[in-house]
Amino acid sequence: MARTVKATKVAIKEANALAESLRELVWTDLKNQYGSFEEMLSSRIQGAEEAIVDATKGKLAIIAGIGVMRKDLEKAQRRFSRSNDIEELRTFLVELAERIFRLRAANDNIVDSMNSVLNPNLNAIEIVEKFASDLQRSAGTWERNGREIDEAILELCDEHEPAELNDLEHYITKQGYGSLLQSPSHSSSEEDA
């Protein structure tokens, strides 16, 4: 059965509404996914930045401490060379060993903080992979909605000839007018002969 022009226009308007709905869904999904991607990426960089800056400051402090300890050791050696007081040198070396131990502990803390930067929950590559995966999941919904739009359009595209045409031809034949529709079987050359 053929649709009326009005019904066709209503159906096309519905297809347009489906298309607009799909556009909005894609845009919303993209904004949400991108927002999440941006947040994870920023968090990765900020976390790394804080740890790296703190580690750099810590390393500089350790190096400065080593410089002070080296000067203190040189002073202790000069005092020992003048006084030959082995107990004073021993006390200084024990204290120096404790300071070295504290610097090593501080360095271990720096190494631990660097491990969290080197081995985060999600590195930048994994963040990109997650973003792509999330988009792929959303694309499944987009495809389903796209299929609905195509189905709505295909429903409007009637490739079959109207049944009324066959009905009319059948009516003409039934009324006996079929022989009049056929072309003459003899050619004009037969008439001339």
Side-chain angles (χ1 to χ4, degrees):
M1 177 188 331
R3 293 177 180 262
T4 65
V5 172
K6 185 176 181 180
T8 301
K9 286 184 177 183
V10 167
I12 288 173
K13 191 178 270 189
E14 289 171 3
N16 276 324
L18 287 172
E20 184 58 32
S21 174
L22 177 57
R23 281 187 205 98
E24 289 175 11
L25 176 64
V26 169
W27 181 244
T28 300
D29 285 348
L30 285 173
K31 284 192 308 187
N32 291 341
Q33 299 297 343
Y34 183 77
S36 177
F37 168 74
E38 181 70 28
E39 185 178 312
M40 287 187 296
L41 196 57
S42 293
S43 175
R44 167 71 174 126
I45 292 170
Q46 288 172 349
E49 178 184 2
E50 290 172 13
I52 291 169
V53 168
D54 289 346
T56 301
K57 289 176 183 178
K59 290 277 188 182
L60 290 174
I62 288 171
I63 292 169
I66 291 169
V68 169
M69 290 181 348
R70 189 173 295 274
K71 286 180 185 177
D72 290 346
L73 179 59
E74 290 170 1
K75 286 180 190 176
Q77 287 173 328
R78 282 194 301 269
R79 272 195 313 266
F80 176 71
S81 66
R82 284 190 303 253
S83 69
N84 281 336
D85 186 352
I86 193 80
E87 280 306 312
E88 181 183 356
L89 182 60
R90 186 182 325 242
T91 303
F92 172 77
L93 290 175
V94 168
E95 180 189 308
L96 186 64
E98 289 173 1
R99 288 166 59 189
I100 290 172
F101 177 79
R102 284 194 301 270
L103 288 181
R104 284 198 187 281
N107 189 64
D108 289 344
N109 289 337
I110 291 170
V111 169
D112 289 343
S113 71
M114 287 297 93
N115 281 334
S116 69
V117 170
L118 295 172
N119 303 306
N121 291 338
L122 285 176
N123 63 33
I125 294 169
E126 291 167 333
I127 290 169
V128 170
E129 288 172 349
K130 181 178 178 348
F131 176 65
S133 173
D134 290 346
L135 283 179
Q136 187 64 35
R137 264 195 307 282
S138 294
T141 303
W142 306 341
E143 287 174 14
R144 191 169 43 256
N145 290 3
R147 218 176 336 277
E148 288 176 13
I149 292 169
D150 284 343
E151 288 170 4
I153 291 171
L154 289 175
E155 202 174 288
L156 295 172
C157 297
D158 186 4
E159 296 176 325
H160 300 93
E161 59 185 35
E164 291 82 2
L165 184 60
N166 281 335
D167 290 345
L168 178 61
E169 287 177 339
H170 181 64
Y171 178 77
I172 290 172
T173 304
K174 188 175 177 182
Q175 295 300 317
Y177 301 127
S179 60
L180 295 176
L181 294 175
Q182 296 175 355
S183 60
S185 58
H186 50 57
S187 66
S188 56
S189 60
E190 290 177 357
E191 291 175 4
D192 293 339

